[in-house]
Amino acid sequence: MAQSNTLLANTRIIRASYANKSRVTNNQFRIETHQDVDLQSVKPGEIILRNLYLSLDPYVRFSLDETGGDLPLEYRKLNDIFYGLGIAEVVASGVPKYPIGTLVSGSIGYENFTRLTGLDDPNTQSDLRILPPHARDESTGVPLSNYISALGMPGLTAFSGLKMLGVEKGKTIFVGSAAGGVGQLVGQLAKIQGLTVIGSAGTDEKVAYLVKTQHFDGAFNYKTDDAREALLRLAPQGIDYYYDTVGGEILDLVLELINEKGKILSVGMVSQENGSESYPIRNLKLIARRGVSILGFIYWHHLQYFENGELDATVRPLLEQKKVNYREEVFAGIENTPEHFINMLDGKYAGKVVIKIADL
């Protein structure tokens, strides 16, 4: 995209009000468009990004809490723009490391264009990742959007989370929220490694897709099925590993059913988000009684798998060879972000939810 003297229009999604303990609605969002992007105004240490894809992730819900939550106050200010993970092209640059035309992924605004500053300051913390040249090549069946899904943060979370658990062939893993952006890849990678894989999802369609298309050994609908009965039926040999993105009541149940010396990876607690009250875990005494390990996971502790190329080298060939079937829901238009963010939190979509902002 060539530089010009023309100011470009930028549509932004603004945080209009807090949801706090309530369900997120359209009241939390405001859409603004300003003709104010000047590509020739970039200064040393700055870049301007033309945003291509935006990832919709449950953690952004914390930015709608006035107090508390896991995000710093600077990401929770009213009348300010939302930020999330995305893919973008550098269209103006004052940083030699990021020449014009570079594809990157990292934190971007919910907007058409994002200006990042201070990138020449060694003290500036940035999660910006330069994508490999082959990310542009979609002819092998791997879309660019996969670099914020199977080859992005969800992929890193699935890949490195299984490494943390130290999974062994022949054991059984239960994956919570298995139809989501992380869970679907956890299950398929675990299956490739020789494990028996059980998952839960929120609709019968998602359950069928997990078993028929993504090769899970079994799955159940946590909204309509009795979870205890389903886990006893699908995993009669017991559960050795629980990949937990749900928390709450299902975590309490797994503590009852998990095998001795079992391992639980705590990645998130989606059941406690979007205004839900915290669930009091009652079976904590079983951790000691059975020698269970609970490991806390934060994805930015594992960025080395981006940096050394191991995630890309391992997972991309599986996608190309169709050994992994990764499900994305891609919707067009930055202005439609609020609707799809709300629907994502309400569990209305299957797979990873992505907003396509512009063509490459």
Side-chain angles (χ1 to χ4, degrees):
M1 185 174 186
Q3 294 188 5
S4 73
N5 293 318
T6 304
L7 292 179
L8 302 175
N10 195 14
T11 296
R12 302 179 176 97
I13 310 300
I14 304 296
R15 189 176 301 103
S17 67
Y18 295 117
N20 292 325
K21 297 298 183 182
S22 300
R23 175 180 172 273
V24 174
T25 70
N26 280 317
N27 292 332
Q28 276 69 65
F29 303 90
R30 185 171 70 250
I31 302 174
E32 298 180 353
T33 299
H34 301 277
Q35 201 89 14
D36 62 357
V37 178
D38 181 1
L39 298 185
Q40 294 195 355
S41 69
V42 69
K43 300 175 183 177
E46 296 182 345
I47 61 174
I48 297 176
L49 302 175
R50 182 172 70 96
N51 299 328
L52 304 173
Y53 290 97
L54 177 65
S55 172
L56 298 189
D57 297 296
Y59 79 87
V60 178
R61 170 64 179 78
F62 291 122
S63 75
L64 291 169
D65 289 334
E66 186 173 3
T67 59
D70 291 346
L71 295 179
L73 178 60
E74 62 186 287
Y75 294 109
R76 291 186 275 122
K77 293 179 181 178
L78 291 185
N79 301 311
D80 205 353
I81 191 168
F82 284 86
Y83 271 79
L85 296 173
I87 296 171
E89 180 184 28
V90 178
V91 291
S93 178
V95 184
K97 180 181 178 180
Y98 302 107
I100 291 173
T102 302
L103 289 182
V104 297
S105 67
S107 294
I108 64 173
Y110 281 25
E111 57 187 346
N112 296 108
F113 296 90
T114 296
R115 183 188 295 263
L116 299 180
T117 64
L119 297 179
D120 57 349
D121 183 345
N123 296 317
T124 297
Q125 298 293 317
S126 173
D127 65 349
L128 212 57
R129 166 194 177 203
I130 296 176
L131 299 184
H134 60 246
R136 292 178 175 271
D137 182 10
E138 297 183 320
S139 65
T140 59
V142 179
L144 178 59
S145 58
N146 274 185
Y147 280 87
I148 48 169
S149 59
L151 298 170
M153 184 270 283
L156 177 69
T157 301
F159 179 78
S160 57
L162 287 171
K163 282 182 173 287
M164 275 192 71
L165 281 172
V167 297
E168 298 177 14
K169 182 179 180 180
K171 297 290 185 73
T172 297
I173 186 169
F174 171 46
V175 184
S177 191
V182 175
Q184 60 175 308
L185 188 57
V186 171
Q188 291 180 86
L189 292 178
K191 187 65 182 173
I192 289 169
Q193 294 178 51
L195 280 80
T196 297
V197 180
I198 306 301
S200 64
T203 70
D204 290 342
E205 186 277 335
K206 292 177 183 179
V207 167
Y209 194 88
L210 288 171
V211 174
K212 295 178 182 178
T213 305
Q214 296 183 319
H215 314 302
F216 280 58
D217 293 287
F220 66 93
N221 184 335
Y222 67 84
K223 292 183 179 179
T224 59
D225 295 334
D226 181 279
R228 180 189 300 274
E229 186 278 331
L231 287 173
L232 290 172
R233 172 173 50 83
L234 296 172
Q237 68 278 46
I239 298 166
D240 299 299
Y241 309 106
Y242 176 37
Y243 197 105
D244 184 21
T245 59
V246 179
E249 189 173 1
I250 192 71
L251 172 59
D252 220 15
L253 175 60
V254 170
L255 285 170
E256 283 189 41
L257 301 180
I258 196 166
N259 289 334
E260 189 171 347
K261 294 185 179 181
K263 294 181 181 180
I264 297 171
L265 191 72
S266 180
V267 179
M269 294 197 172
V270 70
S271 69
Q272 312 296 287
E273 295 169 5
N274 207 17
S276 300
E277 291 294 328
S278 295
Y279 181 88
I281 302 297
R282 299 179 174 86
N283 288 313
L284 294 176
K285 62 184 179 183
L286 297 176
I287 297 172
R289 186 178 299 173
R290 294 187 182 158
V292 173
S293 299
I294 299 182
L295 309 171
F297 180 93
I298 302 176
Y299 89 94
W300 58 77
H301 290 170
H302 305 274
L303 295 178
Q304 70 269 22
Y305 299 117
F306 279 156
E307 295 160 2
N308 65 19
E310 187 174 346
L311 175 70
D312 197 85
T314 303
V315 177
R316 185 178 173 107
L318 297 174
L319 295 166
E320 291 176 344
Q321 298 162 21
K322 309 302 181 188
K323 293 180 179 179
V324 164
N325 297 290
Y326 194 86
R327 194 176 193 184
E328 290 183 340
E329 296 258 17
V330 181
F331 302 98
I334 188 66
E335 69 280 0
N336 297 315
T337 299
E339 172 192 355
H340 297 303
F341 185 84
I342 293 166
N343 288 343
M344 179 269 299
L345 289 178
D346 288 344
K348 293 183 178 180
Y349 298 136
K352 182 75 190 73
V353 185
V354 175
I355 300 292
K356 183 175 182 180
I357 301 174
D359 290 314
L360 182 60

